[in-house]
Amino acid sequence: MNEKISVIIPLYNKCQYIGRSIESVLHQTMQNFEIIVVDDYSNDGGPEIVKSFKDPRITLVEQEHNGVSYTRNHGVNLASSDYIAFLDADDEWMPTHLETIIRLIEKYPNAGMYATA
């Protein structure tokens, strides 16, 4: 399966974590993804950290402060994939996370949502 996954990361004042979060996506064993970081009007330098990554799969979208739900939904509306994965700006994934999701999609193609422990 060669499905692309859109990774949505809402960002609000998490500059000390956002770099690690993005790195955890970039180090996935499955590399067919885009990362959409939606900045919810941070004032701590987080957007500058996102801009320091030069990977063309990373998009930074800046908006007025609207809260995390609006921010996630905004990211979903910008996604180019049929599959969406949410990652909080202060979390990170193990390297096989997206590969595991793709395997679940292959095994259960009619499921509406996929999750891991």
Side-chain angles (χ1 to χ4, degrees):
M1 177 179 230
N2 196 25
E3 292 293 337
K4 180 177 171 182
I5 296 181
S6 296
V7 179
I8 311 300
I9 304 176
L11 174 62
Y12 181 68
N13 291 341
K14 298 287 185 189
C15 75
Q16 66 269 35
Y17 305 109
I18 187 62
R20 281 192 353 218
S21 294
I22 292 171
E23 288 286 346
S24 79
V25 180
L26 294 175
H27 290 103
Q28 291 294 298
T29 55
M30 183 280 224
Q31 288 287 301
N32 193 13
F33 57 78
E34 68 177 340
I35 301 172
I36 302 170
V37 179
V38 183
D39 177 51
D40 196 30
Y41 207 67
S42 295
N43 58 19
D44 68 347
E48 287 71 30
I49 292 170
V50 177
K51 291 174 188 174
S52 73
F53 287 89
K54 301 305 178 198
D55 192 301
R57 297 172 294 180
I58 301 172
T59 301
L60 173 65
V61 178
E62 296 176 287
Q63 67 180 27
E64 294 295 319
H65 186 65
N66 289 300
V68 70
S69 296
Y70 179 91
T71 301
R72 281 193 186 104
N73 288 334
H74 189 182
V76 169
N77 289 332
L78 298 170
S80 67
S81 172
D82 290 335
Y83 298 101
I84 306 295
F86 294 110
L87 177 62
D88 288 338
D90 60 354
D91 287 337
E92 50 190 294
W93 286 336
M94 299 299 291
T96 59
H97 178 73
L98 291 179
E99 180 183 337
T100 301
I101 295 298
I102 291 297
R103 277 192 260 133
L104 288 170
I105 292 168
E106 290 171 343
K107 189 170 183 175
Y108 306 101
N110 295 322
M113 184 185 334
Y114 304 92
T116 62

